[in-house]
Amino acid sequence: MEWNPQTLQFLSECFLHTLSPAPEPRRRAESSLAEAAGRPNYGLAVLRLVAEPSIDDQIRQAAAVNFKNHLRVRWVPATPDDGNAPSFAPILDPEKQQIKSLIVPLMLSATPKIQSQLSEALAVIGKHDFPKSWPALLPELISNLQKASQASDYASINGILGTANSIFKKFRFQYKTNDLLLDLKYCLDNFAAPLLEIFLKTASLIDLGANSGAPAANLCPLFESQRLCCKIFYSLNFQELPEFFEDHMKEWMTEFRKYLTTSYPALESSGPDGVALVDELRAAVCENINLYMEKNEEEFQGYLNDFALAVWTLLGSVSQSPSRDQLVITAIKFLTTVSTSVHHILFASEGVIPQICQFIVIPNVRLREDDEELFEMNYIEFIRRDMEGSDLDTRRRIACELLKGIATHYGDAVRSIISAQIQILLNSFATNPMANWKDKDCAIYLVVSLATKKAGASYVSTEFVDVQNFFESVIVPELQSPDVNAYPMLKAGALKFFTMFRSQISKHAALRFFPDLVRFLAAESNVVHSYAAGCIEKLLLVKDEGGRARYTSEDIGPVFPVLMNNLFSALKLPESEENQYVMKCIMRVLGIADISAEVAGICIEGLAFILGEVCKNPKNPIFNHYLFESMAILVKRACERDLSLVSVFETSLFPNFQIILGNVPEFWPYTFQLLAQLVELNRPPISPSYMQIFEILLSPETWKSAANVPALVRLLQAFLQKAPHELNQEGRLSKVLGIFNILIQSPGTLEQGFYVLNTVIESLEYTVLQPYIGHIWSALFRVLEQRRTVKFIKSLLIFMSLFLIKHGSSNLVETVNTIQGDLFTVILKQFWIPNLKLITGAIELKLTAVASTRLICESPILLDPAAVEPWGKMVDSIITLLSRPEEDRVEDEPDMPDFTENVGYTATFARLYNAGKKEDDPLKDINDPREFFVASLHRLSSISPGRYPKIISENVDPANQVALHKLCETYKIQIV
């Protein structure tokens, strides 16, 4: 794309139309730009447009945004993944060099909004090219920084510092490697001194301005500059303490402490923006001193006392305004880090811990207006923070983390003070419940938040209250409140306590209040009925000693009808139409309750209606998963017990399935799994409606999405088992084997291909298979030549073992050898014998062990007198497989992933737990493969006494000979 007046006019008009409120011109302009973006020098032309002063600012700003996004996708384009990711032509090197030569001076001369976009664009380039492929960048930034500093041009200074902050952030997030440390050293050698220089100069200007009463407008860019310097400080110090920063620690720390202890009335009284600017600088300082406390404690200890006092004092003066949360959180994090360090003695002075509780913890744990607003306006975000632990950066959570930190060294003092504080809060509530309900909420929150959880367990405990007494005296009154809509935040807190301490609350007590939980499902508050559903769901998961479920179908039987009615009704409440907590509870209840045919019919009808609604606009994947899981569990538990229900379920579900297969591809994996369940429950012959689906299943188009493959294989297996006769009609078997051939070509679908093949071998007679056997072996051995991975070889051994079991060793040997003379012997020696020990899984182990045993006892290839050595080696491998534990014989070395298949976005398969295929054992008549092995050897050796013990002694590992002797003793069998 040449830069000329026509290009300028074309781009200007396009960017102007992208701002149009009318959709048609906007779409045309976006389409024209997308087409032009593929041409050489497009990015350079857009950058020149941004630099053109005669063009309207709005157009230039739109162009700057487009330029930034253009670089994101084309500077280093992502590799397309199986056609799922779009492929973009990369920007060529000559254009890249010109862009790099123009962008820094243009960014510095631009207006603030355009400067911001170009700074981000520069960071995109820097992420890939800096410093090795862009050595001129840092010297150019430093040179411009020094010029801007001499001129006190803080618009340019902040633009440069913002860019440096963006390109240095990689030192925070990347693993420490030699290359990263070399890049860091380069940046430190060049930028550490200029950074300190501008930081100290700006500090002196702030002091001068603050003392002379400079207006807020003069101070704002200075504070922004210091904030950016603090951010860069954090990045450059993140990996380790650099020598330059250690040598100049005093200068940095003196200014840091000043910002925490000095007030700036000109800014702080100028309105929320001024306060925010000062707070952001102080928060950045707190992050830096916290970093030094965590990583450079020894070097930092001389400054610790002053900073601890400064932070403590600062926290006492910060208001409860949500705009000041970030400052409070970073400040409390610093104190928390100190409390768990060797310097915790700072908290040992008399009165310190009570003051922390009274002036820092309790005020920050109390509910604020914004908490109440979030509770009412955005229940999903409230639950994520309150119940699911995404509240790490909230005042409530960080205040409790500080208490936990102090308790690591001063547990008794914290327990005593907090227990007393909880009682004070509860007494305050008791005196005036209507006015002081937030005090009770605060008490419950403290108990729940300070509870400790055993690693890897759901059991939580607390040392602040007696759980059973607290439950009875504090929580039960809320559960028994006749009005489920009164004081909803208190109700939510009570339900959260019940959920958290469910393991300690006795079964008798829990069942007493189970009807109350069911009642709360009808609460208007989304949080309350979500917490009620979550509490019921979690209670049903509680296990007693020995792993026995505490609550059974008998326990929920009395409330089951009302429970299901209230759960389905909750999904009709405003904003809870796709409430994942309610749907998860439905799934859990259906997995435990006794389900009659009548109830099953009502439930599937209700679930089918919900499915029809979400098909119109699927937007909550978690809700959708539990919805399909609920349907799968109904099929599994109701239809398997009463086959007459299958037709009822088909009537309810098939209309939605047709909609899904036509218009909702994201639901295909779920639908195929449910169809597999229903096919397995059908009696042959399969109905025409299923055969139509079978035809869709055999279309190569259906298999193009990797996310569909496991579910399609699951459905195909069901058809192969239920409709073997139909499979051999109308060329269907050829299509199935074509699908198998496609699947084994890719490492990602290799195992799925073998699942298909194994089911074909299991389901069809040999006479039906015979014309295709040669093609199957040819396909498998072609892959074996190209990719000798552990996964493929194991899958091949399992398949060959299954073939032998189903169709005999002679058919196995003969069909393999038709591909190439004596090929079976090669496979045996090079692959079967050496890799047999790698087989895992109980059914797979039995299958391969029995097949290998039959080979050494039946196959002329191994019974030939000339095959003494391979016979002995096979015996050795079988003994290893049968006598050694899995961890001793299987090397924990997974196949190297095929990286080209994992680049970019790909949808993932979501397996329905309740729609899983039951593992079929093809050797049900053989209980113990070890006994089968030694009994078979005994029968073989009886034919030629004395021959086989000699072969075993010469070819079997001594340790395995001992293992074989033990097996013979165990089963009282001799090899003669």
Side-chain angles (χ1 to χ4, degrees):
M1 181 176 274
E2 289 185 34
W3 180 248
N4 52 41
Q6 291 78 19
T7 300
L8 177 62
Q9 184 178 355
F10 165 73
L11 290 175
S12 299
E13 287 178 357
C14 282
F15 285 119
L16 178 62
H17 288 312
T18 61
L19 304 172
S20 169
E24 195 49 45
R26 190 171 66 244
R27 275 197 290 267
R28 276 201 307 270
E30 288 167 353
S31 176
S32 298
L33 289 170
E35 184 184 348
R39 297 182 214 160
N41 294 322
Y42 169 83
L44 190 58
V46 174
L47 186 59
R48 283 180 168 145
L49 167 63
V50 173
E52 190 60 51
S54 62
I55 301 298
D56 181 79
D57 267 4
Q58 273 194 311
I59 294 174
R60 292 166 65 201
Q61 192 177 332
V65 173
N66 178 274
F67 175 72
K68 173 189 71 177
N69 293 331
H70 179 72
L71 297 195
R72 276 186 177 151
V73 295
R74 293 181 191 265
W75 197 267
V76 179
T79 307
D81 177 34
D82 295 335
N84 288 333
S87 178
F88 295 108
I91 298 171
L92 301 177
D93 285 343
E95 183 183 355
K96 284 184 175 182
Q97 293 307 320
Q98 289 188 70
I99 287 172
K100 286 194 280 194
S101 68
L102 292 174
I103 191 168
V104 173
L106 179 54
M107 179 199 73
L108 296 177
S109 62
T111 58
K113 288 181 178 178
I114 292 174
Q115 186 181 74
S116 162
Q117 296 300 325
L118 293 180
S119 178
E120 286 184 47
L122 196 153
V124 170
I125 304 172
K127 178 183 175 184
H128 300 290
D129 288 18
F130 178 78
K132 293 183 179 61
S133 300
W134 199 359
L137 173 61
L138 201 54
E140 188 177 2
L141 288 176
I142 292 167
S143 170
N144 281 292
L145 180 63
Q146 289 166 341
K147 288 176 192 170
S149 175
Q150 287 166 6
S152 292
D153 174 9
Y154 271 87
S156 295
I157 288 169
N158 290 346
I160 295 163
L161 291 176
T163 301
N165 179 41
S166 296
I167 62 175
F168 292 156
K169 273 183 182 175
K170 73 174 187 176
F171 299 122
R172 303 183 186 190
F173 307 123
Q174 293 183 14
Y175 288 113
K176 186 189 284 189
T177 63
N178 287 335
D179 284 347
L180 187 76
L181 292 177
L182 284 171
D183 289 353
L184 176 57
K185 183 179 185 305
Y186 168 77
C187 295
L188 287 164
D189 289 346
N190 288 280
F191 203 79
L195 178 69
L196 178 60
E197 188 182 324
I198 192 67
F199 181 71
L200 293 176
K201 175 183 175 170
T202 308
S204 66
L205 290 174
I206 288 175
D207 292 345
L208 185 65
N211 293 331
S212 63
N218 291 7
L219 291 173
C220 283
L222 303 179
F223 271 78
E224 174 61 11
S225 178
Q226 295 302 70
R227 183 188 72 83
L228 289 167
C229 286
C230 286
K231 293 287 186 183
I232 295 169
F233 177 99
Y234 190 92
S235 296
L236 295 178
N237 281 269
F238 187 85
Q239 295 291 340
E240 52 191 37
L241 177 60
E243 186 179 345
F244 181 88
F245 284 91
E246 187 174 1
D247 293 343
H248 295 274
M249 194 181 292
K250 185 176 182 182
E251 290 104 306
W252 284 103
M253 296 303 153
T254 300
E255 298 305 319
F256 283 173
R257 182 173 173 275
K258 188 195 300 175
Y259 296 132
L260 296 180
T261 55
T262 306
S263 61
Y264 298 94
L267 274 175
E268 293 177 275
S269 61
S270 67
D273 290 346
V275 174
L277 203 55
V278 178
D279 279 0
E280 284 170 7
L281 174 57
R282 288 171 175 160
V285 167
C286 288
E287 285 180 343
N288 287 340
I289 60 176
N290 190 53
L291 177 73
Y292 266 44
M293 192 63 222
E294 288 177 336
K295 297 198 171 192
N296 311 309
E297 192 175 333
E298 187 179 337
E299 294 84 355
F300 181 66
Q301 63 181 345
Y303 304 94
L304 178 58
N305 283 4
D306 286 345
F307 274 111
L309 180 61
V311 169
W312 174 291
T313 307
L314 179 65
L315 281 169
S317 64
V318 178
S319 72
Q320 288 290 311
S321 168
S323 64
R324 311 201 71 181
D325 284 0
Q326 193 55 35
L327 172 60
V328 172
I329 289 161
T330 52
I332 294 177
K333 274 183 182 174
F334 170 71
L335 293 181
T336 305
T337 304
V338 175
S339 74
T340 56
S341 73
V342 295
H343 302 285
H344 59 80
I345 196 72
L346 291 173
F347 295 90
S349 303
E350 188 176 346
V352 169
I353 296 176
Q355 285 182 59
I356 287 174
C357 292
Q358 187 176 350
F359 297 112
I360 296 178
V361 176
I362 298 301
N364 285 302
V365 167
R366 281 186 179 280
L367 282 174
R368 295 179 302 168
E369 280 185 23
D370 60 306
D371 296 315
E372 295 180 70
E373 189 176 314
L374 189 68
F375 182 92
E376 291 172 9
M377 305 300 292
N378 190 346
Y379 81 94
I380 292 173
E381 182 57 28
F382 181 90
I383 293 172
R384 282 191 187 130
R385 290 188 188 182
D386 186 52
M387 186 68 96
E388 296 177 4
S390 70
D391 62 339
L392 278 171
D393 285 333
T394 63
R395 290 196 190 206
R396 291 190 109 189
R397 177 70 175 270
I398 203 67
C400 289
E401 291 302 310
L402 173 59
L403 270 186
K404 287 179 182 178
I406 298 169
T408 54
H409 297 288
Y410 306 100
D412 290 342
V414 169
R415 277 188 289 277
S416 170
I417 293 162
I418 293 299
S419 296
Q421 191 66 51
I422 288 169
Q423 199 52 54
I424 290 167
L425 290 164
L426 292 174
N427 290 341
S428 168
F429 169 78
T431 57
N432 190 344
M434 289 182 68
N436 299 337
W437 67 269
K438 289 184 183 180
D439 288 343
K440 183 172 183 179
D441 174 85
C442 186
I444 295 171
Y445 185 87
L446 280 170
V447 174
V448 170
S449 298
L450 296 174
T452 53
K453 187 175 181 178
K454 287 186 179 178
S458 60
Y459 185 87
V460 292
S461 61
T462 179
E463 296 175 320
F464 297 99
V465 296
D466 177 277
V467 170
Q468 202 68 44
N469 287 342
F470 192 86
F471 179 72
E472 293 286 351
S473 60
V474 177
I475 303 301
V476 166
E478 297 304 325
L479 297 179
Q480 291 186 321
S481 168
D483 184 356
V484 295
N485 296 315
Y487 302 104
M489 295 193 86
L490 259 188
K491 300 290 189 295
L495 290 166
K496 183 181 177 183
F497 181 95
F498 198 168
T499 305
M500 286 282 288
F501 293 98
R502 60 192 177 277
S503 295
Q504 285 110 295
I505 295 167
S506 69
K507 180 176 179 177
H508 172 73
L511 287 178
R512 233 173 78 216
F513 303 109
F514 207 86
D516 292 306
L517 295 178
V518 175
R519 203 163 47 87
F520 277 109
L521 291 170
E524 291 171 5
S525 163
N526 299 97
V527 175
V528 172
H529 61 245
S530 298
Y531 276 17
C535 186
I536 293 167
E537 190 265 329
K538 292 287 190 294
L539 276 172
L540 297 181
L541 286 175
V542 174
K543 299 278 192 294
D544 285 325
E545 285 185 25
R548 191 177 66 257
R550 181 179 294 181
Y551 301 96
T552 65
S553 57
E554 287 80 14
D555 297 317
I556 60 174
V559 295
F560 179 61
V562 183
L563 170 58
M564 292 310 295
N565 181 66
N566 284 11
L567 283 167
F568 277 107
S569 296
L571 293 173
K572 296 173 185 172
L573 293 167
E575 294 185 40
S576 272
E577 294 87 355
E578 295 186 25
N579 187 312
Q580 65 201 49
Y581 308 99
V582 174
M583 186 51 72
K584 190 177 185 182
C585 186
I586 289 173
M587 177 198 74
R588 193 73 63 208
V589 171
L590 291 176
I592 290 173
D594 279 331
I595 304 169
S596 66
E598 182 185 357
V599 168
I602 295 168
C603 288
I604 200 64
E605 195 176 310
L607 293 171
F609 173 78
I610 295 166
L611 177 58
E613 291 301 303
V614 297
C615 280
K616 295 172 186 175
N617 182 20
K619 55 183 184 286
N620 185 340
I622 300 172
F623 175 86
N624 296 337
H625 184 85
Y626 291 137
L627 169 62
F628 280 100
E629 199 73 77
S630 299
M631 290 186 279
I633 208 165
L634 262 182
V635 174
K636 180 180 176 183
R637 299 193 69 234
C639 292
E640 287 182 11
R641 185 190 299 175
D642 183 354
L643 290 176
S644 67
L645 284 171
V646 173
S647 60
V648 176
F649 277 46
E650 289 170 348
T651 302
S652 292
L653 295 175
F654 267 43
N656 285 323
F657 287 171
Q658 288 173 335
I659 292 168
I660 290 168
L661 294 176
N663 303 308
V664 196
E666 54 263 65
F667 285 171
W668 284 9
Y670 291 126
T671 303
F672 293 141
Q673 290 173 84
L674 287 175
L675 283 167
Q677 281 185 287
L678 293 169
V679 168
E680 286 170 347
L681 292 168
N682 267 262
R683 294 195 179 100
I686 295 292
S687 70
S689 56
Y690 282 109
M691 291 312 296
Q692 287 175 357
I693 293 165
F694 197 8
E695 295 308 320
I696 296 171
L697 185 61
L698 296 179
S699 164
E701 286 294 313
T702 313
W703 295 79
K704 281 192 173 176
S705 169
N708 289 337
V709 168
L712 286 167
V713 168
R714 170 84 179 84
L715 178 54
L716 184 53
Q717 286 178 300
F719 273 117
L720 294 176
Q721 289 172 329
K722 282 291 179 177
H725 300 298
E726 289 87 342
L727 180 62
N728 195 33
Q729 298 167 3
E730 301 176 24
R732 292 189 184 109
L733 182 52
S734 295
K735 291 178 182 176
V736 169
L737 293 175
I739 289 165
F740 144 75
N741 200 11
I742 292 167
L743 295 177
I744 62 166
Q745 303 304 318
S746 165
T749 56
L750 172 75
E751 284 182 306
Q752 301 295 331
F754 274 104
Y755 293 157
V756 172
L757 188 56
N758 292 345
T759 310
V760 167
I761 294 298
E762 277 191 275
S763 306
L764 301 182
E765 298 294 328
Y766 185 72
T767 51
V768 176
L769 286 171
Q770 198 166 9
Y772 303 94
I773 295 296
H775 300 294
I776 292 171
W777 291 128
S778 295
L780 290 172
F781 296 146
R782 269 198 306 274
V783 177
L784 184 61
E785 282 178 14
Q786 299 161 2
R787 194 187 298 123
R788 297 185 178 186
T789 62
V790 171
K791 184 191 288 186
F792 181 82
I793 292 168
K794 285 166 63 175
S795 298
L796 179 62
L797 291 188
I798 291 166
F799 168 69
M800 294 179 84
S801 298
L802 183 63
F803 189 106
L804 185 151
I805 295 300
K806 287 292 179 182
H807 304 301
S809 59
S810 60
N811 282 333
L812 173 66
V813 175
E814 287 167 14
T815 54
V816 170
N817 284 340
T818 56
I819 305 302
Q820 181 184 315
D822 209 28
L823 178 58
F824 186 81
T825 303
V826 176
I827 297 291
L828 197 67
K829 290 179 179 179
Q830 292 186 15
F831 300 103
W832 195 312
I833 292 171
N835 293 291
L836 183 61
K837 66 180 181 181
L838 301 178
I839 299 298
T840 55
I843 290 176
E844 290 84 352
L845 183 147
K846 179 162 80 163
L847 176 66
T848 51
V850 170
S852 302
T853 301
R854 285 184 55 177
L855 266 180
I856 60 172
C857 295
E858 295 174 7
S859 175
I861 284 184
L862 283 171
L863 293 174
D864 189 307
V868 165
E869 185 181 349
W871 188 94
K873 294 298 179 192
M874 178 66 102
V875 169
D876 189 56
S877 287
I878 297 170
I879 297 169
T880 300
L881 180 68
L882 293 175
S883 64
R884 296 191 193 176
E886 202 171 282
E887 59 270 19
D888 291 351
R889 57 185 171 78
V890 178
E891 294 177 14
D892 189 17
E893 192 174 329
D895 293 330
M896 184 65 71
D898 188 337
F899 288 105
T900 59
E901 296 200 350
N902 296 318
V903 177
Y905 173 79
T906 53
T908 53
F909 166 67
R911 185 177 77 89
L912 292 174
Y913 175 81
N914 291 290
K917 185 178 185 297
K918 293 175 184 173
E919 268 199 293
D920 291 320
D921 183 356
L923 291 164
K924 294 185 178 71
D925 55 328
I926 297 173
N927 293 322
D928 186 348
R930 294 164 184 80
E931 184 177 11
F932 179 83
F933 171 58
V934 291
S936 299
L937 280 182
H938 168 72
R939 284 192 296 274
L940 180 66
S941 67
S942 301
I943 299 168
S944 305
R947 181 186 175 202
Y948 291 102
K950 182 174 184 297
I951 298 173
I952 289 168
S953 67
E954 291 173 355
N955 292 282
V956 174
D957 179 81
N960 278 352
Q961 290 184 42
V962 173
L964 178 59
H965 180 69
K966 286 181 180 174
L967 285 173
C968 290
E969 282 185 340
T970 301
Y971 297 106
K972 299 181 174 56
I973 292 172
Q974 284 187 323
I975 299 169
V976 294

